[in-house]
Amino acid sequence: MKKKLTTVMFRGTKAQEEQLIAVIEKYRDTQGAMMPILQEAQEIYGYLPIEVQKIIAARMDVSLEEVYGVASFYSQFSLNPKGEVAIAVCLGTACYVKGAGDIIDRISLKLGGLQAGDTSPDGKYSLEATRCIGACGLAPVLTVNGEVYGRLVKEDVDGILAKYM
Amino acid sequence: MENVNIKINGRDYSVPANSTVLEACRAANIDIPTLCYMKDINEIGACRLCLVEVKGARGPVAACVYPVNEGMEVLTNTPAIRKARKNNLQLVLSNHEKKCLTCIRSTSCELQKLCQEYGVDEDYFEGESNHYDIDDSSVAIIRDNNKCILCRRCVAACKEMQGIGVIGANDRGFDTHIASPFEVKLAETSCINCGQCIVACPVGALYERDDTDKVFDAIADPTKHVAICAAPSVRATIGECFGYEPGTDTEGKMVAGMKALGFDGVYNMNLTADLTIMEEAYEFLDRFQNGGKLPLITSCSPGWIKYCEHYFPEFTDNLSSCKSPQQMFGALYKTFYAQKHGIDPKDIFFVSVIPCTAKKFEVGRDGQCAAGEGIYDVDVAITTRELARMMQTAGIDFKNLGDEKFDEPFELGSGAGAIFGATGGVMEAALRTAAEVVLGKPLEKLEFEDVRGIEGVKKATYKLGDVEVRVAVASGTANAKKLLNSVKSGETQVDFIEIMACPGGCVNGGGQPTQPAVVRNNVDLRSVRAAVLYNADKAMDLRKSHENSAVKALYDEYFEKPNSHKAHEILHTHYVKRGLY
């Protein structure tokens, strides 16, 4: 999958930056440190925006592309922050055959065309298409901020979203 | 290094123990096809074109990364190998935009040649293909990822060879594509426009912005006075576009070809190389003797200038304020020549032909309008390749042209000007002049051999009378980075530095004729092409910039003396500090 670039403004704090710098210093003499640094950076910020990758590149004395190449390669790295309302729709096999595609389309429609992998520019909503989350018995299933909703039909979507608006 | 005994296709060979199978085969004059392989900088075994059979191995192996060992038996031309290579070519082709007829690399494309050799059926694997927008944001370099085969040679050239790395592989799997971080356009990055990615590309995914139509249009416009000047190294390489071996001097034919294109004046940039030396040698002596900012760093290479501005902005005050020879020529032409011949500089269309894509950026820089605001010193800079294409379009039979000479009054260049095109050449030329100015008498030996050759960083100390001048020369920006970091740390103390953005200098510039991997990996183009320039210098009586009568006349008639007020107005410029993307 092509990585989605974010349109959400960066809201990093001084404290987060200090944490990040400490992480980079910790791995100063470690070979192949890019992966653990990116992982810990994502723990600090929740995602890996350009502002964060620039700090990493400068302090590791590598080009920004070298950081971005790795960040865009691995699916666990996100270039988008999770929204305040983080919606994840399971597109595993069971959910998919039970109509998860319709569910995600309905959510997208309700949220102004937000696509899987996107976060709305105001940072309020994020929509993610996940692989199987192990709740096949409830298919099709989605989660909002970790709360699970199962055995859905597309008409349920509006009611669920209304709770978080 | 000890040798090991191996068998290739049933015959015995003794090869160095640290060779790869590919190197062993090459030494045995057995050609193995490659696409992604670039000696030393891109040995990644990605394209799978160099597959060979090794007895005992589980399957075919990539020769470019597979080490030899004692008793190894290699087969390079079995039915299974031929089939595997053909299959891999078909897979490459399945996601390659096959617009060969209109492709800039048609007939010089490495993929096209291999497909022909292996009898590839282009529709063998039909399926989905990627579609990308062409990135034409840069004034110099255009990327068409629809033709990219993901060999990563451009990435290696940018990162490993030049130490820059503004491009790389983004995303993964079928979505993998070569681009800049966060998908920004090339023009927004800290790309220095050196064009080493272009000459590394085996296909038509990277090419220079074509400005030949602008030149043809100007020639056809009767109200325009259209002049062209040729950089020192172009005469050493343009023959390659017409089938000559690398290292063939075709100055006379090049001049004849340019005249046949219909320019109003065809001139020798070696002359303004000499003029640059006059300005730069005096600038150096002034800084050296009067406590100015040192080390002085040369400013001829626009790729290096942009590199300095992006990556070492703390050194921009060390840069010589001299314009490059290209810019000096245009400036001189639109002031001195225009006044002398009563031509309105607005009616002059000045073209330079250069081995360089970064010059396309340089022409539009601030501080390059000597004849007045908006009147750029140089209107269009075309590469060696573009000039060759113009000649081909115009039906000029290059090989059968007779030798002709540059036009007066700008026909004369010294040997010092000629060697500008090779790394160390500017330093040597400047030293010839600076030394004679300081000593007040002719040098016994004109060759400064320590600054010659293709080594990435060269250092030397020369005694001029009772003073010592410490010099350093770097080519390729990765080497420039090493040198500047060592100057910064105080480890290297020098007075005068020459830096060229491209490894080996202009002879190996990003605007030079492309050569396929098989040539680039086996012939040192830097040395072979530079030899043309050093031989030309050696054969000349006039070998010092300050003895060039045409340059002397310019000072007598117009500039008065080096670094005069007028010279500063017309022949010098300024720099900016750029951020890093």
Side-chain angles (χ1 to χ4, degrees):
Chain A
M1 268 266 287
K2 231 173 169 161
K3 279 276 159 85
K4 288 271 172 72
L5 299 177
T6 191
T7 51
V8 181
M9 214 180 69
F10 180 59
R11 291 196 181 83
T13 63
K14 196 79 210 149
Q16 285 176 316
E17 188 171 332
E18 280 162 15
Q19 265 180 284
L20 174 63
I21 290 167
V23 166
I24 299 167
E25 285 310 313
K26 182 172 78 182
Y27 289 106
R28 169 82 36 222
D29 299 317
T30 312
Q31 271 231 314
M34 183 69 80
M35 287 291 286
I37 289 175
L38 286 175
Q39 280 164 340
E40 294 191 32
Q42 182 152 300
E43 274 169 35
I44 296 168
Y45 289 91
Y47 71 123
L48 296 170
I50 187 167
E51 294 81 0
V52 171
Q53 293 193 29
K54 275 189 174 177
I55 296 171
I56 296 171
R59 294 205 163 244
M60 291 181 74
D61 195 24
V62 297
S63 71
L64 182 60
E65 173 55 36
E66 201 158 334
V67 183
Y68 182 79
V70 176
S72 70
F73 182 88
Y74 291 101
S75 57
Q76 294 300 319
F77 292 131
S78 174
L79 304 179
N80 253 317
K82 282 223 165 43
E84 289 164 38
V85 179
I87 306 160
V89 181
C90 179
L91 288 187
T93 311
C95 288
Y96 192 78
V97 298
K98 288 278 217 171
D102 290 341
I103 308 280
I104 205 164
D105 287 348
R106 181 69 196 167
I107 297 172
S108 176
L109 189 73
K110 289 292 289 178
L111 297 179
L114 199 70
Q115 296 293 311
D118 283 351
T119 302
S120 61
D122 60 3
K124 180 103 202 260
Y125 300 101
S126 61
L127 178 59
E128 200 185 342
T130 72
R131 305 214 171 165
C132 181
I133 61 170
C136 308
L138 296 177
V141 62
L142 66 79
T143 66
V144 184
N145 294 345
E147 211 167 318
V148 181
Y149 298 88
R151 298 216 175 87
L152 301 169
V153 290
K154 68 171 188 274
E155 287 72 19
D156 296 331
V157 165
D158 297 20
I160 295 169
L161 289 180
K163 289 199 214 172
Y164 298 91
M165 292 222 169
Chain B
M1 177 52 67
E2 51 186 303
N3 274 23
V4 292
N5 300 302
I6 64 170
K7 263 192 195 337
I8 306 174
N9 298 338
R11 300 178 72 166
D12 293 319
Y13 296 93
S14 171
V15 299
N18 64 344
S19 351
T20 60
V21 172
L22 181 69
E23 286 161 350
C25 290
R26 289 256 157 96
N29 291 320
I30 293 166
D31 190 31
I32 308 278
T34 59
L35 267 177
C36 68
Y37 174 78
M38 271 173 94
K39 202 171 168 198
D40 298 329
I41 61 167
N42 204 44
E43 301 178 349
I44 58 174
C47 73
R48 317 309 285 179
L49 256 289
C50 65
L51 293 179
V52 295
E53 276 183 50
V54 170
K55 216 167 205 174
R58 274 192 302 172
V61 302
C64 71
V65 288
Y66 204 81
V68 295
N69 55 48
E70 182 62 38
M72 178 184 260
E73 290 181 40
V74 181
L75 293 168
T76 70
N77 185 27
T78 64
I81 284 299
R82 284 196 300 272
K83 190 171 172 221
R85 289 178 186 163
K86 180 174 173 177
N87 245 300
N88 288 342
L89 277 169
Q90 283 165 332
L91 282 164
V92 170
L93 223 52
S94 71
N95 195 17
H96 175 78
E97 188 178 63
K98 293 173 278 289
K99 288 187 177 169
C100 299
L101 285 180
T102 53
C103 181
I104 192 155
R105 292 293 299 274
S106 188
T107 71
S108 70
C109 172
E110 294 180 36
L111 179 63
Q112 190 180 44
K113 185 165 177 280
L114 284 168
C115 285
Q116 189 198 32
E117 286 172 2
Y118 280 82
V120 162
D121 170 3
E122 67 168 39
D123 294 327
Y124 192 80
F125 294 108
E126 265 193 90
E128 212 182 316
S129 54
N130 293 108
H131 296 283
Y132 297 100
D133 291 336
I134 292 175
D135 181 357
D136 60 354
S137 60
S138 161
V139 294
I141 299 167
I142 297 177
R143 168 176 291 281
D144 179 356
N145 270 344
N146 299 300
K147 293 187 179 143
C148 175
I149 58 166
L150 297 172
C151 68
R152 291 160 171 80
R153 275 160 55 170
C154 58
V155 175
C158 189
K159 187 184 157 203
E160 308 299 334
M161 187 194 279
Q162 295 293 63
I164 291 172
V166 292
I167 48 170
N170 290 352
D171 294 314
R172 77 190 279 180
F174 192 65
D175 290 316
T176 309
H177 61 286
I178 309 300
S180 299
F182 292 88
E183 306 300 330
V184 295
K185 302 266 189 222
L186 193 61
E188 295 165 42
T189 68
S190 318
C191 168
I192 64 165
N193 302 312
C194 70
Q196 286 300 320
C197 53
I198 297 177
V199 284
C201 184
V203 296
L206 283 161
Y207 47 92
E208 75 273 27
R209 180 176 293 280
D210 187 308
D211 288 315
T212 58
D213 276 348
K214 288 186 198 160
V215 181
F216 274 127
D217 288 350
I219 292 173
D221 182 345
T223 67
K224 291 281 181 204
H225 174 96
V226 189
I228 186 169
C229 71
S233 69
V234 176
R235 64 208 70 184
T237 58
I238 192 170
E240 292 171 36
C241 296
F242 298 96
Y244 287 91
E245 285 296 313
T248 310
D249 186 350
T250 53
E251 177 178 306
K253 289 183 193 299
M254 175 191 76
V255 174
M258 291 197 289
K259 289 191 172 178
L261 282 169
F263 289 97
D264 297 307
V266 173
Y267 303 115
N268 190 355
M269 205 192 287
N270 295 14
L271 180 142
T272 45
D274 285 332
L275 189 61
T276 303
I277 285 305
M278 293 302 284
E279 292 295 318
E280 205 161 76
Y282 278 88
E283 182 184 10
F284 170 68
L285 289 174
D286 179 44
R287 291 198 195 192
F288 187 70
Q289 290 162 344
N290 301 318
K293 183 99 174 166
L294 291 174
L296 178 73
I297 313 180
T298 58
S299 57
C300 307
S301 164
W304 147 242
I305 293 296
K306 196 158 180 272
Y307 181 82
C308 183
E309 291 174 332
H310 279 299
Y311 298 87
F312 286 93
E314 64 272 34
F315 278 102
T316 48
D317 293 337
N318 294 74
L319 292 172
S320 161
S321 63
C322 291
K323 286 180 180 173
S324 69
Q326 156 179 298
Q327 295 302 120
M328 280 199 186
F329 213 124
L332 180 70
Y333 205 74
K334 291 192 179 181
T335 56
F336 167 75
Y337 186 88
Q339 284 157 26
K340 196 169 175 185
H341 293 85
I343 309 172
D344 184 344
K346 288 197 191 76
D347 294 333
I348 295 175
F349 191 88
F350 194 83
V351 183
S352 73
V353 51
I354 30 76
C356 181
T357 45
K359 294 265 177 209
K360 288 179 183 283
F361 178 83
E362 183 183 36
V363 297
R365 285 181 65 104
D366 272 353
Q368 306 284 358
C369 296
E373 215 184 309
I375 306 171
Y376 285 92
D377 295 339
V378 176
D379 292 278
V380 164
I382 58 171
T383 60
T384 309
R385 298 188 292 269
E386 285 172 279
L387 178 62
R389 285 206 297 277
M390 285 185 73
M391 290 182 188
Q392 282 155 353
T393 306
I396 293 166
D397 182 5
F398 189 88
K399 276 200 158 170
N400 289 314
L401 289 171
D403 289 350
E404 290 190 37
K405 286 194 171 358
F406 288 110
D407 289 326
E408 289 181 356
F410 304 125
E411 82 285 16
L412 195 60
S414 76
I419 60 175
F420 253 60
T423 169
V426 177
M427 180 59 73
E428 182 167 344
L431 286 170
R432 288 180 190 175
T433 291
E436 295 203 352
V437 171
V438 171
L439 297 173
K441 58 171 187 186
L443 283 168
E444 280 164 26
K445 183 172 169 6
L446 283 180
E447 291 81 9
F448 290 80
E449 268 141 14
D450 297 333
V451 296
R452 293 187 177 189
I454 53 162
E455 213 177 310
V457 178
K458 294 165 278 188
K459 293 178 197 168
T461 302
Y462 292 105
K463 229 172 144 60
L464 308 182
D466 48 6
V467 292
E468 278 194 344
V469 178
R470 299 159 300 176
V471 304
V473 172
S475 74
T477 45
N479 294 316
K481 183 179 180 180
K482 272 186 225 155
L483 175 61
L484 292 180
N485 278 334
S486 114
V487 170
K488 244 163 77 171
S489 71
E491 187 192 322
T492 298
Q493 293 189 342
V494 281
D495 307 305
F496 195 6
I497 297 176
E498 178 208 292
I499 296 179
M500 294 292 156
C502 293
C506 308
V507 285
N508 190 34
Q512 294 286 33
T514 52
Q515 286 289 353
V518 62
V519 174
R520 287 173 68 90
N521 290 326
N522 296 300
V523 178
D524 192 339
L525 291 174
R526 299 168 299 182
S527 317
V528 169
R529 290 167 172 172
V532 173
L533 305 181
Y534 284 112
N535 288 338
D537 169 46
K538 212 164 140 189
M540 267 185 235
D541 292 327
L542 173 61
R543 298 182 66 190
K544 302 168 201 166
S545 300
H546 54 282
E547 288 180 354
N548 183 337
S549 57
V551 171
K552 279 192 210 164
L554 281 173
Y555 282 109
D556 289 345
E557 265 188 74
Y558 199 62
F559 293 115
E560 199 187 323
K561 61 182 195 325
N563 293 317
S564 67
H565 181 68
K566 193 162 209 163
H568 261 280
E569 273 184 349
I570 294 173
L571 305 178
H572 291 250
T573 187
H574 56 266
Y575 310 102
V576 293
K577 296 182 195 301
R578 293 173 203 273
L580 203 59
Y581 179 76

XYZ file of all heavy atoms in Angstrom, chain A residues 1-3 5 49-50 53-54 61 63-66 68-69 72-75, chain B residues 132 159 164-165 167-172 175 177 179-183 481 581:
312
model
N 0.842 -1.214 0.000
C 0.000 0.000 0.000
C 0.865 1.248 0.000
O 1.863 1.321 0.689
C -0.870 0.017 1.265
C -2.230 -0.631 1.059
S -3.493 0.549 0.615
C -3.784 1.403 2.148
N 0.458 2.207 -0.780
C 1.144 3.484 -0.798
C 0.851 4.230 0.495
O -0.293 4.327 0.912
C 0.616 4.298 -1.971
C 1.722 4.827 -2.816
C 1.149 5.458 -4.046
C 2.268 6.207 -4.732
N 1.994 6.498 -6.104
N 1.877 4.788 1.103
C 1.683 5.511 2.365
C 0.969 6.833 2.117
O 1.321 7.596 1.233
C 3.038 5.781 3.023
C 3.588 4.592 3.799
C 3.036 4.516 5.210
C 3.155 3.138 5.806
N 4.428 2.855 6.436
N 0.130 10.581 2.934
C 0.787 11.718 3.591
C -0.245 12.484 4.398
O -1.419 12.527 4.045
C 1.418 12.624 2.545
C 2.493 11.934 1.704
C 3.017 12.868 0.638
C 3.638 11.446 2.585
N 5.770 12.205 11.410
C 5.640 13.312 10.459
C 7.008 13.809 9.998
O 8.039 13.455 10.572
C 4.925 14.387 11.275
C 5.358 14.130 12.670
C 5.524 12.642 12.787
N 7.001 14.650 8.988
C 8.249 15.145 8.407
C 9.099 15.851 9.462
O 10.328 15.728 9.457
C 7.952 16.069 7.190
C 9.255 16.449 6.480
C 7.171 17.309 7.583
C 9.045 17.076 5.109
N 10.973 13.197 11.269
C 11.969 12.538 10.418
C 13.151 13.457 10.115
O 14.285 12.999 9.962
C 11.307 12.054 9.126
C 10.297 10.941 9.384
C 9.867 10.241 8.104
O 10.612 10.163 7.140
N 8.648 9.727 8.108
N 12.884 14.756 10.041
C 13.981 15.702 9.798
C 14.951 15.740 10.977
O 16.168 15.833 10.789
C 13.441 17.116 9.533
C 13.069 17.343 8.085
C 12.744 18.808 7.820
C 12.531 19.024 6.335
N 12.135 20.406 6.017
N 22.960 12.148 10.735
C 23.770 12.523 9.581
C 23.485 11.633 8.368
O 24.396 11.130 7.719
C 25.269 12.507 9.924
C 26.084 13.235 8.848
O 25.502 14.088 8.163
O 27.274 12.913 8.691
N 20.510 11.316 4.912
C 19.564 12.160 4.192
C 18.145 11.855 4.671
O 17.865 10.770 5.180
C 19.671 11.911 2.687
O 19.153 10.644 2.366
N 17.265 12.832 4.477
C 15.868 12.648 4.862
C 15.264 11.471 4.107
O 14.451 10.715 4.640
C 15.094 13.939 4.582
C 13.614 13.949 4.960
C 13.418 13.699 6.452
C 12.962 15.276 4.563
N 15.690 11.283 2.865
C 15.156 10.184 2.066
C 15.499 8.834 2.689
O 14.711 7.888 2.623
C 15.685 10.276 0.625
C 15.343 9.099 -0.282
C 13.853 8.768 -0.392
O 13.036 9.694 -0.389
O 13.532 7.566 -0.460
N 16.657 8.757 3.309
C 17.047 7.482 3.916
C 16.087 7.128 5.061
O 15.752 5.961 5.273
C 18.485 7.577 4.414
C 19.101 6.228 4.577
C 20.621 6.263 4.556
O 21.186 7.186 3.944
O 21.214 5.360 5.165
N 12.924 8.408 5.273
C 11.592 8.258 4.691
C 11.440 6.918 3.962
O 10.370 6.298 3.999
C 11.302 9.420 3.734
C 9.910 9.334 3.147
C 8.808 9.744 3.896
C 9.691 8.814 1.876
C 7.527 9.647 3.384
C 8.418 8.711 1.355
C 7.338 9.127 2.116
O 6.076 9.029 1.606
N 12.524 6.485 3.304
C 12.480 5.211 2.593
C 12.102 4.077 3.535
O 11.286 3.218 3.193
N 8.429 4.643 4.962
C 7.344 4.367 4.011
C 7.311 2.886 3.621
O 6.351 2.421 3.032
C 7.470 5.256 2.766
O 8.583 4.873 1.988
N 8.360 2.141 3.939
C 8.428 0.720 3.560
C 7.601 -0.151 4.497
O 6.816 -0.988 4.062
C 9.890 0.261 3.566
C 10.078 -1.167 3.135
C 10.251 -1.483 1.794
C 10.088 -2.207 4.053
C 10.431 -2.787 1.378
C 10.265 -3.529 3.644
C 10.437 -3.812 2.303
N 7.760 0.063 5.795
C 7.123 -0.836 6.758
C 5.709 -0.396 7.095
O 5.480 0.765 7.412
C 7.967 -0.918 8.038
C 9.272 -1.643 7.794
C 10.456 -0.926 7.629
C 9.301 -3.023 7.685
C 11.653 -1.579 7.383
C 10.493 -3.685 7.435
C 11.661 -2.957 7.288
O 12.832 -3.612 7.032
N 4.784 -1.350 7.072
C 3.379 -0.983 7.268
C 3.109 -0.556 8.704
O 2.128 0.133 8.973
C 2.470 -2.143 6.874
O 2.813 -3.289 7.626
N 2.492 7.036 -13.263
C 3.035 8.134 -12.464
C 3.009 9.427 -13.265
O 3.178 9.423 -14.486
C 4.490 7.842 -12.071
C 4.655 6.627 -11.189
C 5.065 5.416 -11.717
C 4.391 6.701 -9.823
C 5.217 4.293 -10.912
C 4.542 5.583 -9.009
C 4.955 4.390 -9.561
O 5.100 3.288 -8.758
N 23.329 8.977 -3.782
C 23.692 8.769 -2.381
C 25.154 8.339 -2.215
O 25.901 8.962 -1.467
C 22.759 7.713 -1.790
C 22.953 7.540 -0.296
C 22.079 6.415 0.244
C 22.671 5.899 1.543
N 22.248 4.543 1.847
N 24.646 12.695 -1.468
C 23.525 13.629 -1.342
C 22.253 12.895 -0.906
O 21.730 13.129 0.161
C 23.319 14.381 -2.668
C 24.505 15.327 -2.874
C 22.011 15.164 -2.653
C 24.550 15.986 -4.214
N 21.756 12.006 -1.758
C 20.616 11.179 -1.362
C 19.286 11.908 -1.283
O 18.552 11.749 -0.325
N 17.049 11.318 -3.536
C 16.093 10.363 -4.092
C 16.339 8.988 -3.489
O 17.447 8.684 -3.054
C 16.172 10.270 -5.632
C 17.641 10.107 -6.071
C 15.533 11.473 -6.300
C 17.810 9.772 -7.531
N 15.286 8.189 -3.466
C 15.417 6.833 -2.937
C 14.155 6.072 -3.250
O 13.226 6.594 -3.883
N 14.113 4.810 -2.811
C 12.941 3.985 -3.053
C 11.903 4.259 -1.973
O 12.175 4.074 -0.786
C 13.330 2.515 -3.061
N 10.732 4.719 -2.376
C 9.631 4.970 -1.448
C 8.585 3.869 -1.565
O 8.384 3.304 -2.634
C 8.956 6.309 -1.755
C 9.838 7.495 -1.415
O 10.901 7.342 -0.811
N 9.398 8.676 -1.809
N 7.876 3.631 -0.443
C 6.831 2.608 -0.383
C 7.416 1.229 -0.701
O 8.632 1.067 -0.778
C 5.638 2.966 -1.285
C 4.916 4.209 -0.766
O 4.658 4.269 0.445
O 4.648 5.127 -1.558
N 6.530 0.227 -0.863
C 7.080 -1.119 -1.050
C 6.242 -1.944 -2.011
O 5.152 -1.551 -2.390
C 7.178 -1.827 0.300
C 5.841 -2.336 0.804
C 5.960 -2.802 2.225
N 6.521 -4.143 2.362
C 6.707 -4.733 3.549
N 6.416 -4.097 4.671
N 7.191 -5.941 3.614
N 4.080 -0.913 -5.239
C 4.045 0.550 -5.173
C 5.425 1.182 -5.106
O 5.548 2.410 -5.120
C 3.238 1.006 -3.954
C 1.763 0.715 -4.112
O 1.234 0.976 -5.201
O 1.151 0.197 -3.153
N 8.615 3.014 -5.766
C 8.987 3.943 -6.835
C 10.107 4.837 -6.325
O 10.266 5.011 -5.119
C 7.781 4.792 -7.266
C 7.223 5.632 -6.160
N 6.486 5.091 -5.119
C 7.320 6.953 -5.900
C 6.139 6.061 -4.278
N 6.643 7.194 -4.723
N 11.660 8.309 -5.670
C 11.206 9.684 -5.532
C 11.913 10.307 -4.338
O 12.795 9.700 -3.732
C 9.689 9.730 -5.343
N 11.493 11.513 -4.002
C 12.097 12.233 -2.889
C 11.237 12.045 -1.646
O 10.097 11.609 -1.738
C 12.215 13.709 -3.258
O 13.054 13.834 -4.394
N 11.784 12.370 -0.462
C 11.033 12.138 0.767
C 9.709 12.900 0.786
O 9.643 14.035 0.324
C 11.975 12.633 1.865
C 13.022 13.439 1.186
C 13.134 12.891 -0.191
N 8.705 12.275 1.300
C 7.366 12.855 1.410
C 6.832 13.280 0.048
O 6.008 14.178 -0.053
C 7.338 14.003 2.430
C 7.554 13.512 3.837
C 8.842 13.381 4.350
C 6.488 13.140 4.644
C 9.052 12.889 5.633
C 6.693 12.652 5.922
C 7.981 12.525 6.418
N 7.359 12.613 -0.992
C 6.861 12.804 -2.358
C 6.959 14.241 -2.847
O 6.194 14.653 -3.733
C 5.407 12.320 -2.486
C 5.170 10.893 -2.026
C 5.979 9.855 -2.799
O 6.271 10.080 -3.981
O 6.338 8.824 -2.181
N 32.551 16.746 0.628
C 32.068 16.702 2.014
C 33.200 16.267 2.953
O 33.423 16.886 3.991
C 30.892 15.718 2.095
C 30.249 15.614 3.460
C 29.086 14.619 3.418
C 28.425 14.512 4.787
N 27.299 13.573 4.785
N 16.533 20.578 2.584
C 15.194 19.993 2.646
C 15.271 18.712 3.426
O 16.045 17.839 3.113
C 14.604 19.705 1.251
C 13.250 19.075 1.390
C 12.157 19.872 1.728
C 13.071 17.709 1.308
C 10.922 19.310 1.935
C 11.840 17.139 1.522
C 10.761 17.941 1.830
O 9.534 17.383 2.057
